[in-house]
Amino acid sequence: MSAVELTGIEKSFGATAVVKRLSLEVKEHELLALLGPSGCGKTTTLRMIAGLERPDRGRIQLAGQLVDDGAMFVQPEKRGLGMVFQSYAVWPHKSVFENVAYPLQLRREPAIDARVMEALGWVRLAALAHRRPHELSGGQLQRVALARALVGRPKVLLLDEPLSNLDVALREELRGEIASLRAKLGTTMILVTHDQGEALALADRVAVMNRGVIEQLAAPDVVYREPSTPFVAGFVGGANVLDGEVRNGRFHVEGHAFALPVTAEDGPVTLVVRAEDIALGTTGTPLALQARLFLGSSTEYRLSLGSTVLRITGPAINGLTPGSSASASLRAVRLYRKP
Amino acid sequence: MKRALPFALALLGTVFIPLAVLLAKSGSPATWAPLWLSDAATRALTGTLVSSLGAASVALLLGVPFAWLVARTDVAGLRVMRTVLTLPSAIPPYIWTMGWIALANPKSGWLTLLVGQGRVDIYGFGGMAFVLGTSALPLVVLSTAAALERIDPSLEEAARLSGATAARTFRSVTLPLITPAAMSGAALVFVFASASFGVPYLLGVSANPPAPTLTTRIYGEVLMGEAGLSRAAVLSVELLLLAVLVLGLNAWIARAGRVRLPRGKGLGRALVSLGRARLPVSLGAWLVAGVVILLPLGAVFLTGLQPTWGQWGSFTLKHWGVVLQPRTLHAAGVSLGLAGAAALLVVAVGLAIALTRQRWLETLADAPSAIPGTVLALALLVTFSRDVRFVAFEQVAFVLALGNTFWLLLLSYVVKHLALGVRSASDSLAQADPTLGEAARLSGAGRLRAFIDGIFPQVRGALAGAALLTFLTVVSELTMSVLLIPTGSDVLGTLLFELQSYADPSSAAVIASALLLVVLAALTVQMSRRAEAR
């Protein structure tokens, strides 16, 4: 039995279709990431699972129980979920302890004190139990929110961009904390994020969303290595995505022609090539170097390609400065036939 | 600092020294006790407390639900309702009172006749509290609605996900978060009500039994001349202390109970769909808003169209002749002139004060707005009723003869509303992008030119808004005008007041209708300009 099951979900705000015929299954104990750019419908999808938005069409089931099919609707407080928001949503008029105790108080559960302190222990905040929210840092607030969402042992934990408001160091720390909590509690989690690194690092499976549809749903390494669409390749790998045409085994784009490392039939294609899969040297297609960016472990070169730019990363090459010409050859590419 | 000094001295001379003079008039510590504890003084103080607490309660009870409806729900006619709810702040309270007298006087009110004589009576403390509370409704509605809109929706969503029902979420999360804003709005209503003069005069003096308040008592004492002046001064000190006390308490509570509302980063305001309850809730809300706000305004218009005051049914335009009578035209001319001058001065002086960037000066300029108009006017009256002579170098003498002139009236309008100019100038300057001025400097503009080209365009809108608000308030001002109007002259406020309370309520209703039309036209123009700007 799956923890969450969405079938044929559609949702529009006014005239804009935000989610289009989306179906998705989240397995028990799984961490599924909904990854995509802002406006792709990932947050709306999560809010429909929470019951904070209602789909225009489709069914939502939680642990086999129908919670929304248009006619019947289970209120968010009756769904047994936990949720962490991007803006923390820690109640400013309650102490840390009172925030975490709230879900238990509503259910009139016994031994509230002990369970609250246990949950605060999970996120290493037991010492701050009686602080007020305005005395806490962003990272601490988000850990309070995490404890509050988990204290009632929800069937599914929904995480809506939980790390986006934090600076880089805190983000990595809290990312590790989510992973270890998951190992400890085994809670099913759905993580909404626009950060591919976060999705790839935490998730068992990643659903890459674009314009209201899931373009690819697979394990992180598969999404990275074998993107099923040019969008996924561009969004997840940060690859170069070029629209052009294959003629006589060569790829033509913006007035330049590249030799292909694979055989391909003639016709219009979208070619995806990662920045590290292009070689710069003496053989290949000559292009003008626009800019050179030192990235630490490697160097990024930007070469003019008509109206766009070709990005290449590799070792530093002496004498290659902006204005000079360099020859690029493609070592590995993925081709997508145009429909 | 150097630039701030002249402003500080001017405020000292026009506000704080007059207050000291007034305090001196109120007698010495030896004579205070009998005056403070006299029967009349106690009754006036009690009256002010009762009517002001009542007004704050009325505004709170009506204002918080309305704030919730317009800030959070899909109530029918949402945008129109927002406008209607802010209407009272643009219309002088005594015009509402005129409407309510026509509707609910115990003999011939339209509502009285509808429900039967003896059931309603707008006169007395109850009516006072009701009219003051409803005409100050925007103070509670706006501050509460702003708090509701500032709350991050995810705070409430987190409660739902924690297992709280919608009602429980409202009680345990929303209500605690908006309480400080609602209470602070109610405190402002209290201060507004305690400083009000027209409403308690029209509803209290002819009530049976009479319902005196501090402001109406002060007016009565001033009318008695020199003999009443020290008693009036004592009551003024009481009124001033009351305002300071409540505002201080409010500031203290706001600081102690401060709940920082984190900036919402969610999906914007969370709209509660009323669902099946939408129709009945909307009807109920519109019924209440209609009765409380639109009905009294309608009554004012209709009163001006009836052949005889209090006789409903037939219509005539014969009273409208009053609009063209010389006395009305004169009063209108004076009011428009004074209001225009006051609006310009408030904005210009406010901008100059804000540009000194001295916080203490801004606070000093803010203070007069908290002084009840009656107290400020009386202080100016006792200080400047005789000519003030300055002698410089024992040779040159200046004589400042302000008593019984329009200059004193203008001065009172400007200092009373100066806070409006200072605040809008200082807020908009704080938001203005200084680099636009700096870019002008580097392009070769001098300091003044850089200000005019780079900074002023950014604050112009806010200043125009402040000027319009000052104009609308001053053009119909009554509280200070009744005390400071030169003998034998009128402004619109005093003319209306005299016609309504002594001579000719039908003509009063006509002039009030004309005034309402001007106010509504000005608001419409402003709103359409704002809509264009968007």
Side-chain angles (χ1 to χ4, degrees):
Chain A
M1 186 177 55
S2 47
V4 179
E5 192 175 345
L6 308 182
T7 320
I9 296 294
E10 289 181 34
K11 175 75 180 174
S12 311
F13 290 121
T16 345
V18 183
V19 175
K20 299 170 199 158
R21 295 207 59 79
L22 181 138
S23 295
L24 175 68
E25 233 177 284
V26 184
K27 296 174 203 139
E28 256 183 284
H29 308 302
E30 178 182 36
L31 195 160
L32 181 120
L34 289 172
L35 173 67
S38 60
C40 72
K42 57 190 191 302
T43 292
T44 306
T45 304
L46 192 77
R47 290 170 62 81
M48 288 190 288
I49 297 170
L52 298 172
E53 304 281 356
R54 295 205 57 183
D56 301 331
R57 214 160 283 124
R59 306 153 44 88
I60 302 175
Q61 283 176 291
L62 294 177
Q65 301 268 312
L66 187 66
V67 294
D68 197 339
D69 70 347
M72 74 91 66
F73 174 70
V74 176
Q75 293 287 337
E77 67 267 22
K78 303 277 187 259
R79 295 191 179 193
L81 302 171
M83 185 159 175
V84 175
F85 297 82
Q86 180 178 2
S87 57
Y88 320 135
V90 172
W91 300 305
H93 59 295
K94 292 179 189 284
S95 70
V96 169
F97 183 93
E98 289 164 345
N99 262 279
V100 179
Y102 188 77
L104 300 178
Q105 284 165 350
L106 287 173
R107 279 186 259 155
R108 300 209 170 74
E109 298 210 1
I112 288 179
D113 287 20
R115 294 185 55 190
V116 171
M117 292 317 289
E118 185 195 12
L120 285 173
W122 295 337
V123 294
R124 297 180 292 115
L125 280 180
L128 303 183
H130 296 286
R131 293 281 185 88
R132 311 296 296 187
H134 66 85
E135 302 169 293
L136 268 52
S137 69
Q140 289 168 332
L141 286 172
Q142 200 56 303
R143 299 218 296 268
V144 174
L146 206 52
R148 182 182 66 191
L150 285 169
V151 71
R153 292 303 190 105
K155 284 180 284 194
V156 181
L157 178 66
L158 309 176
L159 301 152
D160 184 9
E161 301 262 7
L163 309 179
S164 304
N165 272 359
L166 305 173
D167 58 42
V168 179
L170 272 174
R171 204 179 293 173
E172 305 213 325
E173 186 189 323
L174 209 60
R175 189 197 277 183
E177 217 143 303
I178 291 174
S180 66
L181 272 173
R182 193 178 150 237
K184 188 189 296 182
L185 304 173
T187 313
T188 309
M189 298 186 185
I190 304 178
L191 169 72
V192 159
T193 180
H194 65 264
D195 179 341
Q196 50 137 332
E198 206 170 294
L200 299 181
L202 284 172
D204 299 314
R205 286 193 301 156
V206 178
V208 185
M209 284 188 75
N210 183 32
R211 297 186 189 174
V213 300
I214 294 178
E215 297 227 348
Q216 185 169 18
L217 173 57
D221 56 327
V222 176
V223 169
Y224 188 79
R225 276 187 290 104
E226 295 159 31
S228 62
T229 65
F231 171 82
V232 175
F235 190 79
V236 176
N240 295 291
V241 179
L242 305 169
D243 286 321
E245 196 183 359
V246 175
R247 282 202 303 270
N248 306 325
R250 286 164 73 82
F251 177 66
H252 293 261
V253 61
E254 301 272 357
H256 297 272
F258 292 89
L260 284 172
V262 291
T263 53
E265 285 176 34
D266 286 6
V269 295
T270 300
L271 178 143
V272 171
V273 56
R274 291 186 192 287
E276 65 264 31
D277 289 340
I278 308 175
L280 272 183
T282 46
T283 57
T285 310
L287 296 169
L289 182 67
Q290 218 176 52
R292 168 185 169 144
L293 289 77
F294 179 59
L295 300 179
S297 57
S298 64
T299 301
E300 179 179 316
Y301 299 93
R302 299 193 166 196
L303 289 87
S304 326
L305 188 61
S307 62
T308 70
V309 167
L310 193 65
R311 290 183 299 113
I312 299 172
T313 54
I317 303 171
N318 285 333
L320 202 54
T321 51
S324 59
S325 169
S327 294
S329 51
L330 310 179
R331 288 191 300 218
V333 300
R334 292 181 70 84
L335 292 172
Y336 300 87
R337 288 261 151 231
K338 290 235 172 131
Chain B
M1 185 68 201
K2 225 186 249 171
R3 281 188 298 160
L5 211 56
F7 293 110
L9 288 175
L11 283 166
L12 209 62
T14 55
V15 179
F16 297 99
I17 290 178
L19 280 183
V21 173
L22 183 66
L23 190 66
K25 269 276 188 229
S26 74
S28 64
T31 60
W32 274 343
L35 283 172
W36 279 62
L37 298 175
S38 77
D39 197 34
T42 318
R43 276 198 300 136
L45 179 63
T46 315
T48 291
L49 287 174
V50 167
S51 60
S52 305
L53 280 174
S57 313
V58 167
L60 213 50
L61 286 177
L62 284 173
V64 173
F66 269 121
W68 182 73
L69 281 177
V70 297
R72 280 300 178 77
T73 69
D74 56 351
V75 67
L78 181 65
R79 292 183 52 158
V80 186
M81 185 176 279
R82 271 181 168 257
T83 313
V84 166
L85 286 172
T86 51
L87 209 52
S89 63
I91 293 165
Y94 59 83
I95 289 189
W96 300 102
T97 317
M98 291 166 59
W100 279 108
I101 289 176
L103 284 171
N105 73 73
K107 289 201 196 85
S108 60
W110 184 74
L111 279 177
T112 317
L113 299 179
L114 200 69
V115 299
Q117 283 182 342
R119 299 251 178 99
V120 287
D121 184 359
I122 199 66
Y123 292 103
F125 289 122
M128 230 183 268
F130 178 74
V131 175
L132 287 168
T134 52
S135 62
L137 200 56
L139 293 173
V140 171
V141 173
L142 292 182
S143 70
T144 311
L148 277 168
E149 280 164 4
R150 217 163 46 233
I151 295 175
D152 183 347
S154 61
L155 287 172
E156 287 155 327
E157 289 166 0
R160 297 297 302 274
L161 266 296
S162 300
T165 59
R168 179 76 189 247
T169 300
F170 184 80
R171 228 168 354 115
S172 62
V173 174
T174 317
L175 208 53
L177 291 178
I178 61 171
T179 300
M183 290 312 290
S184 134
L188 293 180
V189 174
F190 181 95
V191 173
F192 160 86
S194 69
S196 172
F197 168 73
V199 180
Y201 192 90
L202 293 176
L203 295 181
V205 172
S206 42
N208 184 26
T213 65
L214 288 173
T215 51
T216 56
R217 267 317 289 174
I218 292 169
Y219 179 67
E221 297 287 8
V222 171
L223 288 187
M224 295 195 187
E226 198 60 35
L229 221 47
S230 69
R231 287 196 296 271
V234 168
L235 297 174
S236 297
V237 173
E238 279 185 36
L239 185 56
L240 182 60
L241 286 180
L242 192 63
V244 170
L245 195 73
V246 172
L247 289 175
L249 203 66
N250 181 39
W252 182 72
I253 289 174
R255 205 165 308 144
R258 182 179 53 183
V259 173
R260 279 189 211 169
L261 294 178
R263 276 246 156 265
K265 281 169 191 139
L267 295 172
R269 82 202 187 107
L271 202 70
V272 178
S273 179
L274 293 171
R276 252 171 298 167
R278 184 166 184 243
L279 188 66
V281 168
S282 302
L283 278 177
W286 272 109
L287 187 68
V288 174
V291 167
V292 162
I293 295 169
L294 300 178
L295 193 62
L297 294 185
V300 170
F301 281 110
L302 288 182
T303 305
L305 295 174
Q306 288 153 27
T308 315
W309 194 82
Q311 277 191 354
W312 304 87
S314 51
F315 296 99
T316 173
L317 278 175
K318 70 173 184 187
H319 300 298
W320 277 77
V322 72
V323 171
L324 293 177
Q325 278 172 14
R327 193 178 168 203
T328 314
L329 291 175
H330 172 75
V334 171
S335 277
L336 291 174
L338 283 173
L344 279 179
L345 281 169
V346 159
V347 168
V349 177
L351 181 62
I353 287 177
L355 281 173
T356 65
R357 297 189 191 265
Q358 302 284 337
R359 293 286 322 162
W360 62 270
L361 182 63
E362 287 182 18
T363 313
L364 204 66
D366 250 10
S369 69
I371 302 170
T374 306
V375 178
L376 185 62
L378 188 61
L380 290 171
L381 190 69
V382 297
T383 309
F384 293 108
S385 57
R386 278 191 223 109
D387 299 350
V388 182
R389 294 171 64 90
F390 299 98
V391 182
F393 310 118
E394 299 182 353
Q395 284 169 16
V396 195
F398 301 97
V399 179
L400 195 60
L402 286 175
N404 217 22
T405 67
F406 285 117
W407 296 110
L408 195 57
L409 199 51
L410 180 61
L411 176 67
S412 74
Y413 292 158
V414 172
V415 290
K416 174 75 180 165
H417 299 104
L418 189 56
L420 210 58
V422 175
R423 262 179 241 164
S424 70
S426 137
D427 288 353
S428 56
L429 280 174
Q431 280 170 20
D433 180 358
T435 57
L436 292 183
E438 290 160 5
R441 289 301 293 280
L442 289 174
S443 309
R447 282 171 62 107
L448 182 66
R449 185 66 197 270
F451 176 78
I452 293 170
D453 291 344
I455 306 295
F456 188 70
Q458 301 184 65
V459 301
R460 198 171 44 197
L463 294 183
L468 181 72
L469 202 56
T470 309
F471 182 88
L472 287 179
T473 318
V474 170
V475 86
S476 58
E477 210 280 342
L478 172 67
T479 307
M480 297 189 297
S481 309
V482 290
L483 290 172
L484 293 177
I485 189 78
T487 333
S489 293
D490 291 303
V491 289
L492 280 178
T494 56
L495 177 65
L496 256 171
F497 176 65
E498 192 193 311
L499 289 175
Q500 171 72 26
S501 48
Y502 303 112
D504 186 357
S506 297
S507 298
V510 167
I511 297 175
S513 303
L515 200 58
L516 279 177
L517 290 176
V518 172
V519 169
L520 294 179
L523 286 180
T524 313
V525 169
Q526 196 201 17
M527 274 201 301
S528 61
R529 279 179 68 187
R530 212 180 282 165
E532 257 173 52
R534 241 178 253 137

